[in-house]
Amino acid sequence: MISRRVDRVANLDSLVTMLLPMEKDRMVYKYISFASDIFEVRDVEFADTKEQIVKGGRDLFPLLPKAFEGIKEVGVIGWGSQAPAQAQNLRDSLDEAGCDVKVRIGLREGSSSFEEAREVGFSEDADTLGEMFDIIKKSDLVMLLISDAAQAALYKEIFAAMKPGATLGLSHGFLLGYLDSIGESFPEDMDVIAVCPKGMGPSVRRLYEQGKEVNGAGINASFAVHQDKSGKATELALGWGVALGSPFMFETSLSSEYRSDIYGERGILLGAVHGIVESLYRRYQRQGMSPEQAFVESSESITGNIVKTISTQGIKAVYEGLSGDDKEVFKQAYSASYLPSKEILQEIYDEVSSGNEIRTVIMHGKRINKFPVGKIDGTDTWQVGEKVRAERDEENIPLNPFTAGVYVATMMAQIDVLLEAGHPYSEVVNESVIEAVDSLCPYMHYRGVAFMVDNCSFTAKTGSRKWAPRFDYILDQLAYTAVDNGKPVNEDLISAFENHKVHAAVEECCKLRPTVDISVGSSSSTKEIVIE
């Protein structure tokens, strides 16, 4: 059966934006229901909306042969962030399920990653490792996990190399955004699907391994069916997500995915948190703190207690856990930071939606040989941070109420920009909350925010470096001066936060979170900590 797809306009605001020519990019955002003959599709109440998900688990592995029916060869192309994790998870799950499917790695000729792929069990002798175009030609499912810039440069050759009837699989919608920006599209004779884990590759693999004894644990994933010529694309996408170990999967579109994903990494996932820490680190020193204490009260407070609270109890729990003067400090910081942060976040969203941000990434890539990207972890902030982490007392990391107010205000502003653009709650919560607190921040806590920026994907690195200074500047110039000048708390903003419908959606997502907390011990090498 061809999977049923029923689009429903989310609300009146979305309908209004659809009627405005200047807002045509927002037309893609509709709540979607889908059906599967293989996996159970569950209705979930996210705030005031009903959405559909498929809940994962190792108990679903016996269903994988049916989901992968007709797929004999899977080519995982690339070895950056997602590819090592997804290739290993897929191989292990399909083996456990008894699927007669060969998972191969395809790399560019001469790539240094051949040795890394061999170290985890792929090899030329076993015919599971080879040159990328040779692997593409053999594959029934081509999982294209090379960098965004490489996809933009090589897409014509990749499409030409794919055999008739093969499916193109993506884990990011960037290529669609690029094709849209130059007036091109995917070949019409192929299925195009996406499974997009809401976290970096090391989290996808680490949680999969940790969850083997508890019926699975991993990173939530969105999935999209962009073209379904075979009538089987939805089942294959869901099978792919189950094989990765995703606790739950929700449907999106490729357009919605790349807008929310590129936007999110420039916001609270990377760019915004970087700017917040830099600005608070200076502020606290101006108030008389030592550099070490300033780092503890800013960066450590975020990546320690604040995100841990959000991960298990929700955003509002950070606020409700405060009392007396601390709650008033939070309210001051929140009400002063929300609108300045939202101004920048709306600008980011508009830049992504218009295609400008994608063009920025492509242009930056063309300059890379002339202007190599240097590291940013040599500043005082991150040098002090290295010392603080070495001497960290995990049990005594404070939850600074001012830091919490700034961070939560920025997270809520990001959420509101996405909701106002018509994105469904499942996507909003995953891109603004879950990916931050369950995937990225644990690694930031282990190695530092600047380390994450220095070692993320080119697209994320370009965006976070571009926008972090904007958050730093606007918070310092507008938010903190408002507090210092005695501007009263905006009670309307606080009331809107207290009564926001997203809290119910986050609470529901918390019930579906991984069954174990991610462990990022000493085995997490520099090479592993890379995000797409």
Side-chain angles (χ1 to χ4, degrees):
M1 182 188 77
I2 297 177
S3 294
R4 173 176 53 86
R5 295 166 58 86
V6 181
D7 292 344
R8 304 189 301 278
V9 178
N11 50 43
L12 183 58
D13 290 339
S14 296
L15 180 59
V16 170
T17 61
M18 290 180 191
L19 299 176
L20 296 174
M22 294 295 289
E23 300 292 335
K24 64 181 184 300
D25 284 336
R26 300 181 188 230
M27 290 175 66
V28 297
Y29 305 128
K30 303 173 185 178
Y31 293 112
I32 302 170
S33 68
F34 63 95
S36 170
D37 289 337
I38 300 174
F39 301 100
E40 179 186 357
V41 179
R42 308 184 184 197
D43 290 339
V44 177
E45 296 286 344
F46 287 124
D48 58 350
T49 66
K50 181 181 289 186
E51 298 184 38
Q52 286 72 39
I53 67 165
V54 166
K55 196 172 186 301
R58 302 180 77 88
D59 59 309
L60 299 183
F61 285 6
L63 301 177
L64 292 179
K66 191 172 181 182
F68 279 80
E69 189 173 25
I71 304 294
K72 296 298 182 184
E73 317 276 345
V74 175
V76 180
I77 311 304
W79 199 259
S81 168
Q82 290 291 332
Q86 292 202 34
Q88 292 178 79
N89 288 15
L90 195 65
R91 177 194 61 192
D92 294 352
S93 297
L94 293 174
D95 284 349
E96 185 174 326
C99 287
D100 183 22
V101 178
K102 178 167 282 190
V103 178
R104 293 188 177 98
I105 304 298
L107 303 172
R108 59 180 172 79
E109 193 170 348
S111 170
S112 60
S113 298
F114 271 90
E115 187 55 40
E116 293 174 25
R118 293 184 193 110
E119 289 174 0
V120 295
F122 298 96
S123 70
E124 294 91 339
D125 290 343
D127 193 26
T128 56
L129 178 62
E131 191 275 331
M132 62 180 289
F133 284 102
D134 288 340
I135 300 300
I136 289 171
K137 291 173 184 176
K138 297 176 181 178
S139 301
D140 302 303
L141 168 60
V142 176
M143 292 168 52
L144 190 61
L145 303 182
I146 56 178
S147 71
D148 294 334
Q151 290 185 31
L154 298 173
Y155 72 94
K156 289 184 179 180
E157 297 167 68
I158 292 166
F159 295 165
M162 291 176 63
K163 65 183 185 182
T167 297
L168 178 65
L170 304 166
S171 282
H172 186 20
F174 184 95
L175 182 56
L176 174 64
Y178 176 70
L179 293 176
D180 284 346
S181 74
I182 59 174
E184 296 193 27
S185 59
F186 295 103
E188 295 181 356
D189 60 349
M190 65 171 64
D191 286 359
V192 179
I193 63 175
V195 173
C196 309
K198 299 297 102 181
M200 57 188 182
S203 302
V204 173
R205 181 59 178 170
R206 199 64 172 267
L207 280 166
Y208 177 92
E209 292 178 307
Q210 289 178 235
K212 286 184 177 180
E213 304 305 319
V214 288
N215 194 34
I219 291 293
N220 303 329
S222 62
F223 78 94
V225 177
H226 187 70
Q227 292 182 181
D228 186 4
K229 299 302 178 182
S230 68
K232 301 177 181 178
T234 297
E235 306 291 17
L236 180 56
L238 292 172
W240 176 1
V242 168
L244 293 185
S246 297
F248 76 90
M249 290 147 283
F250 61 94
E251 191 173 26
T252 184
S253 70
L254 269 185
S255 293
S256 184
E257 194 284 330
Y258 83 72
R259 284 169 166 81
S260 60
D261 186 89
I262 296 174
Y263 162 77
E265 64 198 14
R266 283 145 178 76
I268 202 65
L269 303 184
L270 276 175
V273 71
H274 186 192
I276 289 169
V277 170
E278 290 278 16
S279 65
L280 288 175
Y281 176 72
R282 295 193 310 274
R283 175 177 175 80
Y284 291 150
Q285 287 185 80
R286 291 196 300 268
Q287 293 178 338
M289 292 185 190
S290 68
E292 291 78 11
Q293 189 61 30
F295 189 85
V296 169
E297 300 289 344
S298 55
S299 185
E300 292 282 276
S301 185
I302 290 172
T303 64
N305 283 341
I306 292 172
V307 300
K308 289 178 181 176
T309 301
I310 294 172
S311 174
T312 56
Q313 302 173 54
I315 305 170
K316 196 174 177 182
V318 175
Y319 170 69
E320 292 177 336
L322 301 171
S323 59
D325 290 343
D326 284 349
K327 182 164 281 191
E328 289 304 310
V329 169
F330 176 99
K331 290 167 67 173
Q332 286 180 327
Y334 183 98
S335 66
S337 302
Y338 175 86
L339 289 176
S341 293
K342 191 175 182 183
E343 176 187 340
I344 300 299
L345 287 159
Q346 185 64 62
E347 183 181 352
I348 295 171
Y349 189 87
D350 292 345
E351 289 291 290
V352 173
S353 296
S354 68
N356 286 345
E357 200 67 18
I358 287 176
R359 285 186 282 271
T360 293
V361 173
I362 298 298
M363 288 188 292
H364 191 181
K366 292 177 179 178
R367 297 191 299 268
I368 198 70
N369 291 331
K370 190 174 181 180
F371 302 103
V373 178
K375 292 187 177 295
I376 60 170
D377 63 357
T379 64
D380 179 64
T381 310
W382 310 112
Q383 290 298 301
V384 169
E386 193 170 322
K387 177 183 177 183
V388 169
R389 287 192 299 276
E391 301 172 353
R392 174 187 287 153
D393 180 357
E394 192 74 48
E395 299 300 318
N396 289 307
I397 295 175
L399 196 159
N400 184 292
F402 193 90
T403 298
V406 176
Y407 182 80
V408 170
T410 306
M411 179 175 279
M412 292 298 296
Q414 175 164 317
I415 287 168
D416 283 340
V417 168
L418 285 173
L419 288 174
E420 288 162 12
H423 291 262
Y425 278 104
S426 54
E427 187 163 62
V428 172
V429 172
N430 275 276
E431 293 286 5
S432 302
V433 185
I434 292 174
E435 186 167 356
V437 302
D438 284 338
S439 179
L440 294 177
C441 279
Y443 281 91
M444 290 178 182
H445 197 55
Y446 179 59
R447 295 300 298 268
V449 177
F451 181 89
M452 290 298 307
V453 173
D454 281 339
N455 291 278
C456 63
S457 72
F458 185 75
T459 299
K461 183 183 302 183
T462 299
S464 59
R465 287 172 184 240
K466 175 181 175 181
W467 293 99
R470 295 286 302 280
F471 284 100
D472 183 342
Y473 177 86
I474 203 164
L475 289 169
D476 206 28
Q477 295 292 318
L478 297 182
Y480 306 159
T481 54
V483 172
D484 294 341
N485 291 333
K487 186 174 182 179
V489 170
N490 186 326
E491 295 294 348
D492 289 339
L493 283 178
I494 298 302
S495 177
F497 166 67
E498 291 175 332
N499 298 299
H500 204 295
K501 293 178 180 179
V502 79
H503 298 309
V506 172
E507 182 180 342
E508 195 62 37
C509 285
C510 283
K511 298 175 185 176
L512 299 167
R513 72 185 298 276
T515 50
V516 295
D517 292 326
I518 192 168
S519 170
V520 289
S522 58
S523 65
S524 297
S525 67
T526 299
K527 185 68 178 178
E528 287 178 316
I529 305 177
V530 182
I531 74 163
E532 289 290 351

